[in-house]
Amino acid sequence: MLLLADIDFDAAAALLARYGLQLHRVADDAPIPGSYWGDCEAGLIGCNVYARGDTPVHSLLHEAAHLIVLPPERRAAVHTDATDSIEEEDAVCVLQALLGDALAGVGRDRVLADMDAWGYTFRLGSAKAYFEHDADSAWQWLQARGLTDAQRRLQLA
């Protein structure tokens, strides 16, 4: 699994900053604030995403995507659990793969493979199959919120 320590922290922070988020590096031996799953999984508090060197990149991108899909006025109230609905969760799974494409040395294929290794489950058997063949409603959800469009979808496919 690709970890935060394996990629350029500053590039990840710059990506999140484009969406009004701040990435905080947590000391390796410290608990991660706002982590829903605990252990090494990324955490959320307001517009802040917390991660350690051993945080999986897919976790960091997933939690950041939860904040990205929220209107800025709702972000301030987020602490640990940002999910609003199944539809949001599905859209966040697509968005985290797209965010992976924006980071050198990561890419959507790695994000999707790491999602499978972590234990995500999808009807078609893998995150990649979901992304490529079963995520139409997630694409529509993102598009309705101005987070992607059909042209961008084709460019990234």
Side-chain angles (χ1 to χ4, degrees):
M1 203 162 304
L2 191 65
L3 305 177
L4 180 59
D6 300 325
I7 68 168
D8 182 343
F9 179 88
D10 292 335
L15 174 62
L16 272 55
R18 290 183 359 210
Y19 296 96
L21 306 178
Q22 187 170 5
L23 178 58
H24 301 271
R25 186 188 307 262
V26 176
D28 289 341
D29 58 348
I32 298 175
S35 178
Y36 182 82
W37 296 103
D39 296 324
C40 60
E41 300 298 324
L44 305 172
I45 301 174
C47 293
N48 301 290
V49 179
Y50 297 89
R52 294 190 310 228
D54 65 341
T55 297
V57 172
H58 77 87
S59 173
L60 164 69
L61 297 177
H62 185 89
E63 297 306 325
H66 272 295
L67 292 177
I68 291 168
V69 303
L70 289 177
E73 64 274 8
R74 288 197 42 220
R75 290 180 184 173
V78 172
H79 194 299
T80 308
D81 186 5
T83 301
D84 190 33
S85 64
I86 299 283
E87 293 80 11
E88 178 186 313
E89 187 67 31
D90 291 346
V92 162
C93 287
V94 168
L95 185 55
Q96 79 185 79
L98 296 176
L99 292 170
D101 279 343
L103 287 173
V106 180
R108 88 173 66 155
D109 287 339
R110 182 59 189 257
V111 171
L112 295 169
D114 285 356
M115 289 169 69
D116 290 340
W118 188 86
Y120 285 78
T121 58
F122 296 94
R123 264 191 311 250
L124 298 181
S126 74
K128 185 173 183 163
Y130 168 72
F131 184 90
E132 294 177 348
H133 305 290
D134 197 29
D136 288 342
S137 60
W139 284 104
Q140 291 166 3
W141 195 96
L142 291 168
Q143 185 175 7
R145 284 150 184 85
L147 294 167
T148 189
D149 58 33
Q151 182 181 13
R152 180 160 169 78
R153 178 181 177 184
L154 292 173
Q155 287 172 345
L156 292 172

PDB file of all heavy atoms in Angstrom, residues 39 81 104 130:
ATOM      1  N   ASP A  39      -5.950   4.021  14.191  1.00  0.00           N
ATOM      2  CA  ASP A  39      -4.649   3.536  13.711  1.00  0.00           C
ATOM      3  C   ASP A  39      -3.989   4.571  12.809  1.00  0.00           C
ATOM      4  O   ASP A  39      -3.815   5.705  13.205  1.00  0.00           O
ATOM      5  CB  ASP A  39      -4.785   2.186  13.005  1.00  0.00           C
ATOM      6  CG  ASP A  39      -5.267   1.087  13.943  1.00  0.00           C
ATOM      7  OD1 ASP A  39      -4.875   1.103  15.118  1.00  0.00           O
ATOM      8  OD2 ASP A  39      -6.044   0.233  13.495  1.00  0.00           O
ATOM      9  N   ASP A  81     -16.372  12.237  11.222  1.00  0.00           N
ATOM     10  CA  ASP A  81     -17.280  11.551  10.295  1.00  0.00           C
ATOM     11  C   ASP A  81     -17.949  12.577   9.388  1.00  0.00           C
ATOM     12  O   ASP A  81     -18.761  13.373   9.833  1.00  0.00           O
ATOM     13  CB  ASP A  81     -18.334  10.770  11.074  1.00  0.00           C
ATOM     14  CG  ASP A  81     -19.216   9.911  10.186  1.00  0.00           C
ATOM     15  OD1 ASP A  81     -18.966   9.839   8.970  1.00  0.00           O
ATOM     16  OD2 ASP A  81     -20.162   9.309  10.718  1.00  0.00           O
ATOM     17  N   ALA A 104       1.905  13.113  -8.606  1.00  0.00           N
ATOM     18  CA  ALA A 104       2.985  12.366  -9.252  1.00  0.00           C
ATOM     19  C   ALA A 104       3.306  11.109  -8.447  1.00  0.00           C
ATOM     20  O   ALA A 104       3.381  11.149  -7.219  1.00  0.00           O
ATOM     21  CB  ALA A 104       4.220  13.247  -9.383  1.00  0.00           C
ATOM     22  N   TYR A 130     -15.753  -0.829 -10.438  1.00  0.00           N
ATOM     23  CA  TYR A 130     -16.761   0.152 -10.044  1.00  0.00           C
ATOM     24  C   TYR A 130     -16.514   1.470 -10.763  1.00  0.00           C
ATOM     25  O   TYR A 130     -17.407   2.037 -11.390  1.00  0.00           O
ATOM     26  CB  TYR A 130     -16.730   0.373  -8.523  1.00  0.00           C
ATOM     27  CG  TYR A 130     -17.535   1.574  -8.094  1.00  0.00           C
ATOM     28  CD1 TYR A 130     -18.928   1.539  -8.121  1.00  0.00           C
ATOM     29  CD2 TYR A 130     -16.907   2.753  -7.714  1.00  0.00           C
ATOM     30  CE1 TYR A 130     -19.676   2.655  -7.764  1.00  0.00           C
ATOM     31  CE2 TYR A 130     -17.649   3.866  -7.346  1.00  0.00           C
ATOM     32  CZ  TYR A 130     -19.026   3.809  -7.381  1.00  0.00           C
ATOM     33  OH  TYR A 130     -19.758   4.916  -7.033  1.00  0.00           O
TER      34      TYR A 130
END
